[in-house]
Amino acid sequence: MSMVRAESGSRHPGTVPARTVGGPTYAGAMSDLAAGFGYLVKGQRWVVRRGRKLGFGLLPGLITLVVYAGALVGLAYGADDLAGWATPFADDWSSPWQGLIRNTLTALVFVFGIFLAVITFTAVTLLVGQPFYESLSEDVDRDRGGEVPESGLSLGREIWISARDSVRVLLRVALYGIVLFALGFVPVIGQTVVPVLGFCVSGYFLAQELTSVALQRRGVELRERLALLRGRKLLVLSFGVPLTLAFLVPVVAVFLMPGAVAGATLLVRDLVDADADADADADADADTRRGGGPDAGSPFRPVSG
């Protein structure tokens, strides 16, 4: 059984499970679909009820928004030229084929740019607002009761780890993006299935970025984080996909960011608690198979007839 243990002297004693939960039943899957969206809504409510948290949380998003807005405007103006440069073979094509292929490529380039912007917006905003979002996540844990894990690391070290892990995640996203970009040229599938898959991939990795704030405080490394999320895909998707759709509107993304971090912290509490229960059940089953059930060691163990 894999566990992530806090180092001695750390401010968050104990262990955090890093093992995935078994495949969900149909009822469990439906419950996860509702729960994921529920955590998103609860996170927004939590922040709105604490207006000061919302106010401070807007600044990192606004800074990132200005930078990204400029980049997307530049992409929109240059996409036509990029499409023409990439398709020199179509220079002598007659209408409508030349316009069809270049307009399709222009649209795909812009969609790909939006796809990357939605994913990297969260990563960059979390880096810009690292101290605030970590404090917000701690407040959510404290408000819900129980242990409030803290990383025990310096701010510089936390930012370095966040940046390193974000790059690793974004490389994965880029690989998926390249595959989806290529599939976008396939007739019918490229205009129907591929956009849906794109939103699912964006939502999954968006949720991964947001949950990294709470999971990093719990000492969970990137590999264990991804394994933990894979164990509850529907929960993660139902949290991340609606948020991805909302983030398509830049101003909305800024206002939803603090609540998204709060909701992701609630989701992490669910993931960690469920995984801890699964570990406890597995240990109990192992004890039973070894012949030591709950009555092992007791002087009142039942005697077979």
Side-chain angles (χ1 to χ4, degrees):
M1 178 174 57
S2 174
M3 304 289 287
V4 180
R5 294 188 176 275
E7 298 177 358
S8 58
S10 171
R11 288 181 289 171
H12 59 294
T15 58
V16 175
R19 189 174 60 79
T20 57
V21 183
T25 62
Y26 177 79
M30 293 300 100
S31 176
D32 275 358
L33 278 175
F37 184 72
Y39 288 132
L40 179 58
V41 174
K42 289 176 183 177
Q44 301 302 325
R45 287 177 179 171
W46 190 92
V47 170
V48 168
R49 291 170 181 168
R50 296 158 179 82
R52 187 177 180 183
K53 294 289 183 184
L54 176 61
F56 281 117
L58 297 180
L59 185 57
L62 286 171
I63 294 173
T64 309
L65 174 63
V66 171
V67 176
Y68 273 60
L72 287 176
V73 168
L75 180 62
Y77 276 105
D80 287 339
D81 294 335
L82 180 61
W85 172 83
T87 57
F89 54 85
D91 287 344
D92 299 327
W93 288 14
S94 61
S95 179
W97 305 114
Q98 183 190 78
L100 181 63
I101 189 171
R102 286 182 172 172
N103 289 338
T104 299
L105 182 58
T106 298
L108 287 173
V109 167
F110 193 68
V111 169
F112 185 65
I114 294 176
F115 170 79
L116 290 181
V118 169
I119 296 298
T120 58
F121 177 87
T122 303
V124 173
T125 303
L126 289 175
L127 286 175
V128 173
Q130 173 75 20
F132 167 81
Y133 292 126
E134 183 169 341
S135 174
L136 186 151
S137 180
E138 290 177 0
D139 288 343
V140 173
D141 276 328
R142 190 174 294 110
D143 183 64
R144 292 291 171 170
E147 191 174 313
V148 181
E150 296 182 20
S151 66
L153 302 174
S154 65
L155 176 61
R157 180 65 178 168
E158 288 180 346
I159 292 176
W160 162 249
I161 292 174
S162 296
R164 180 197 64 191
D165 290 347
S166 292
V167 169
R168 291 175 177 174
V169 170
L170 292 176
L171 287 176
R172 289 177 168 86
V173 174
L175 289 176
Y176 280 104
I178 291 171
V179 173
L180 292 174
F181 182 79
L183 290 175
F185 289 98
V186 179
V188 182
I189 293 177
Q191 293 74 47
T192 54
V193 177
V194 170
V196 174
L197 291 177
F199 280 118
C200 288
V201 171
S202 299
Y204 184 85
F205 285 105
L206 178 60
Q208 195 283 323
E209 285 286 354
L210 290 166
T211 54
S212 67
V213 177
L215 287 172
Q216 185 174 315
R217 287 194 297 108
R218 288 164 166 80
V220 184
E221 297 294 335
L222 177 61
R223 182 174 297 178
E224 282 78 23
R225 291 180 214 162
L226 294 175
L228 198 61
L229 295 174
R230 281 197 299 269
R232 303 281 293 280
K233 291 187 183 70
L234 290 178
L235 177 70
V236 175
L237 287 173
S238 61
F239 178 87
V241 172
L243 199 56
T244 299
L245 294 172
F247 274 23
L248 292 176
V249 182
V251 177
V252 173
V254 172
F255 281 93
L256 292 185
M257 192 66 185
V261 173
T265 303
L266 296 174
L267 187 148
V268 165
R269 291 172 65 90
D270 183 348
L271 286 172
V272 171
D273 288 347
D275 209 47
D277 291 342
D279 283 339
D281 290 343
D283 290 342
D285 289 343
D287 289 340
T288 301
R289 285 194 296 270
R290 288 195 298 266
D295 296 319
S298 169
F300 303 106
R301 295 168 68 181
V303 180
S304 60

